[in-house]
Amino acid sequence: MRRKDKQISDIEALHSVINKATVCRIGLVKEDRPYVIPLSFGFDGRNIYFHSARTGEKVEILKANNHVCLEFEQDISIIEDEKPCDWSARYLTVVVHGTAELVDDLVAKKYGLGQIAEHYQAGGEQYPFTDAEIQPVLVYKVTIEEIVGKISG
């Protein structure tokens, strides 16, 4: 990171940004072409989980290249000034690099989906997914290889 004065390295602060985010963006690469989309996700403090339909561009890209970049953010706002060149931004972001693996085991798949549901339920009970409910979806687990945060404003 170029601006070391803005870097966040405290793991609890980084996890807090992830836990408070309502969406993450995943960056993938298909041959030489980037592909970025928003995702709903879950985080258990070690791994990040997301789900997908069984087919689609994201699934095809992940089959060929499972290296991913995830971005999480909070507290985003523009700080205006008299001249647009003097504007700045307030933000808190986390970027994760890792590898995504397809979760096949039914127990692990239910766990991953449970992490996603729990992220959006904030303190609710773990939903008991049935085998029939999890059959039509894919679940991916991202193993974190690098995590870095940045704060401004």
Side-chain angles (χ1 to χ4, degrees):
M1 178 176 296
R2 182 180 65 84
R3 294 285 309 266
K4 296 292 184 192
D5 60 314
K6 294 182 181 249
Q7 183 172 342
I8 303 168
S9 53
D10 177 68
I11 198 69
E12 288 182 23
L14 296 167
H15 286 190
S16 177
V17 173
I18 294 171
N19 286 323
K20 290 178 182 175
T22 55
V23 68
C24 78
R25 287 167 191 79
I26 186 170
L28 308 168
V29 177
K30 180 180 182 179
E31 296 166 7
D32 63 347
R33 185 175 173 194
Y35 181 73
V36 178
I37 56 170
L39 296 174
S40 29
F41 69 95
F43 178 56
D44 67 1
R46 296 177 316 278
N47 301 293
I48 297 163
Y49 296 86
F50 64 92
H51 69 308
S52 173
R54 291 197 161 275
T55 60
E57 190 165 7
K58 174 177 64 211
V59 173
E60 292 307 310
I61 294 170
L62 285 167
K63 285 179 185 175
N65 182 356
N66 69 338
H67 295 280
V68 300
C69 180
L70 301 168
E71 184 269 345
F72 306 85
E73 62 191 42
Q74 68 182 66
D75 302 332
I76 307 295
S77 62
I78 300 298
I79 302 169
E80 296 182 15
D81 203 316
E82 287 183 31
K83 297 188 287 184
C85 293
D86 291 331
W87 287 20
S88 63
R90 177 175 292 119
Y91 57 84
L92 187 52
T93 61
V94 169
V95 173
V96 168
H97 286 94
T99 53
E101 66 180 276
L102 188 58
V103 176
D104 288 324
D105 176 77
L106 288 179
V107 173
K109 196 172 178 181
K110 287 179 183 179
Y111 175 81
L113 285 173
Q115 291 303 303
I116 297 166
E118 186 177 306
H119 181 77
Y120 295 97
Q121 288 178 210
E125 278 189 37
Q126 184 82 10
Y127 179 79
F129 291 97
T130 66
D131 292 353
E133 288 173 317
I134 66 169
Q135 290 298 2
V137 299
L138 298 179
V139 175
Y140 290 90
K141 176 177 88 171
V142 176
T143 301
I144 297 171
E145 296 169 358
E146 180 184 31
I147 182 169
V148 65
K150 189 173 180 182
I151 187 168
S152 183

